[in-house]
Amino acid sequence: MVCDNTFENIFEQEVDVFEYQYPDAHILVRYGTQAEAFDSLFSMNTRTIVACRDLTSQEKRALKAKYKNERKANVNVRSAKIAVDAVAFIVNPENNVEKLTVDELADIISGRTTQWNELQPSDRGKIKVVLDQSGSSMATYLSDSLLRGEPLGPTVFAAGSIPQVFEAVEHDRDAIGVLGVSWITSDMDNADLSREELAKSILSDDPVQGATLTQRVKVLKVYRPGQAQAYKPYQQYIFDGSYPLFRQIYMITTASTGNVGGGFYSFVTGPIGQKIIMKTGILPATVRTIQVELPDR
C-alpha cells in the first residue's frame, strides 16, 4: 500500500499491531505524497492507499473500468473515512506568541505578515514557516483551505520531512511549523515500545486514553472566526468543532475481502484500528468515549 507520509507514525503502529495479531500476514507500506498515492492506485501498482481525500464518483468509475479493460476483472472499490486530523501550528518555547486567529495564520502563510512584531510586541524577527514538503498534502491543505486557492508565500520553506519540521522549530526561535497533530502528542513515546508491548497495550480491554500534547515545543491556540475563545488541537476540541483547522483521512482499496490487503483495510476501519488512531492524538472516525486531560484551551 501507499500512505500519505503525513500519517506514517500512525500507520507504523497499525501495521505493527496487525502483524502481531496475524503473524503470517505482512504489509509493505511505501510513504510518499498524496499525489504519489493516487498515481500508484490508478496505475494499479498498489491496491490500497491512505490520503486526505476520498475518490470522486467519476474516479471510482474510471478505476473500475481500468481494471476491467486491463486486468479483465471486475473490482470492488471501497473507501472509508478513518480519522480526522487536526492541523497544528507549533513555535519555539521562547516565542511569546500563544494564540492566533485563522486570518492571522492565513496572512503568515501567504506572506502578507512577515515579522512577529506585526502580530504583537515581540523580540522575534522574520517569520519562517516550515512544512514537510512543497508538494505534500499539508501544502495543499494550506493553499486550499487557508488561502482559498492562492499559492503559498515566499516565507514558506520545506524542511524535507515531518520530523525535520519539529527539529526546525526546536532550534529556530523565529520558525512556525505546520504538521498533523499526531506528530506532537505524548503518544510519540510509544516509539520506544517493542511491537509486542504496543500490541498488548492496544489489544487489552483497558479504556482508551486520548493523547496529550508534547511540552517540547509550544502548540499554538487558534481562534475560529467569530469565536471568543482560542483552542489547542486536543481530540475533544476536534470532536466538538472548537478547533477550526482539520482534514479528513480516507483509506481506499481495491483489494478483495479475502486477501491480506482487504483484511488490513477491515482491521484499520474496525475497532482495533480505530483504537490505535485514538491513542495517536487524532480523532478516529468511530468515536466512543474520549478520556483525556485538558490542562487548558
Side-chain angles (χ1 to χ4, degrees):
M1 61 173 289
V2 181
C3 179
D4 186 314
N5 53 20
T6 308
F7 314 119
E8 179 176 352
N9 59 330
I10 299 169
F11 268 81
E12 287 296 288
Q13 294 183 50
E14 294 279 5
V15 170
D16 278 348
V17 178
F18 179 79
E19 291 185 348
Y20 177 85
Q21 192 173 21
Y22 304 101
D24 294 330
H26 299 286
I27 304 294
L28 179 62
V29 187
R30 181 167 68 87
Y31 298 99
T33 65
Q34 179 168 280
E36 289 171 338
F38 278 102
D39 286 345
S40 185
L41 182 69
F42 281 103
S43 63
M44 298 184 294
N45 290 327
T46 188
R47 284 184 170 268
T48 304
I49 67 170
V50 175
C52 294
R53 71 169 182 86
D54 198 1
L55 290 171
T56 65
S57 298
Q58 183 177 2
E59 286 173 329
K60 286 183 178 180
R61 289 194 297 270
L63 189 56
K64 288 180 179 181
K66 191 175 183 69
Y67 266 90
K68 191 169 185 179
N69 291 336
E70 298 188 22
R71 298 284 177 88
K72 308 302 180 185
N74 292 320
V75 66
N76 181 26
V77 181
R78 294 179 289 161
S79 65
K81 184 174 79 171
I82 57 173
V84 181
D85 182 33
V87 176
F89 288 81
I90 59 174
V91 296
N92 189 280
E94 295 186 29
N95 192 321
N96 65 339
V97 171
E98 300 285 342
K99 58 189 74 172
L100 293 171
T101 68
V102 170
D103 288 342
E104 286 172 332
L105 288 168
D107 286 342
I108 290 171
I109 299 300
S110 68
R112 292 187 290 268
T113 298
T114 60
Q115 300 287 330
W116 284 111
N117 61 14
E118 294 178 57
L119 299 167
Q120 64 182 50
S122 174
D123 61 354
R124 301 272 58 84
K126 184 177 180 180
I127 299 173
K128 302 171 187 175
V129 183
V130 187
L131 48 72
D132 53 341
Q133 299 179 49
S134 57
S136 69
S137 61
M138 187 61 75
T140 300
Y141 174 86
L142 294 176
S143 176
D144 290 349
S145 298
L146 273 183
L147 304 186
R148 299 181 181 180
E150 295 179 14
L152 305 182
T155 58
V156 178
F157 302 93
S161 70
I162 296 170
Q164 286 175 303
V165 174
F166 199 98
E167 292 169 10
V169 171
E170 283 192 300
H171 294 98
D172 189 339
R173 294 181 297 173
D174 291 332
I176 179 170
V178 192
L179 34 64
V181 73
S182 67
W183 290 92
I184 53 170
T185 64
S186 58
D187 179 70
M188 290 302 289
D189 297 337
N190 284 346
D192 296 329
L193 296 179
S194 68
R195 171 177 286 193
E196 182 178 4
E197 291 170 329
L198 173 63
K200 286 182 176 179
S201 71
I202 293 295
L203 297 173
S204 73
D205 293 329
D206 294 339
V208 175
Q209 294 286 332
T212 56
L213 301 179
T214 182
Q215 300 298 310
R216 289 171 56 192
V217 294
K218 182 187 292 185
V219 182
L220 295 182
K221 301 175 185 179
V222 180
Y223 291 95
R224 179 180 290 279
Q227 194 175 51
Q229 178 67 55
Y231 293 86
K232 287 187 178 182
Y234 287 108
Q235 287 163 315
Q236 177 63 46
Y237 300 142
I238 305 169
F239 177 69
D240 67 17
S242 298
Y243 189 78
L245 304 173
F246 58 88
R247 56 193 184 148
Q248 318 291 339
I249 306 173
Y250 292 88
M251 194 170 188
I252 303 165
T253 190
T254 60
S256 67
T257 56
N259 65 23
V260 173
F264 186 58
Y265 175 87
S266 297
F267 174 86
V268 174
T269 58
I272 297 174
Q274 292 290 287
K275 187 176 181 180
I276 295 170
I277 288 172
M278 172 68 84
K279 289 176 69 69
T280 66
I282 66 176
L283 188 71
T286 305
V287 179
R288 294 183 180 179
T289 302
I290 300 174
Q291 298 179 13
V292 58
E293 179 184 359
L294 300 175
D296 59 18
R297 293 185 176 89

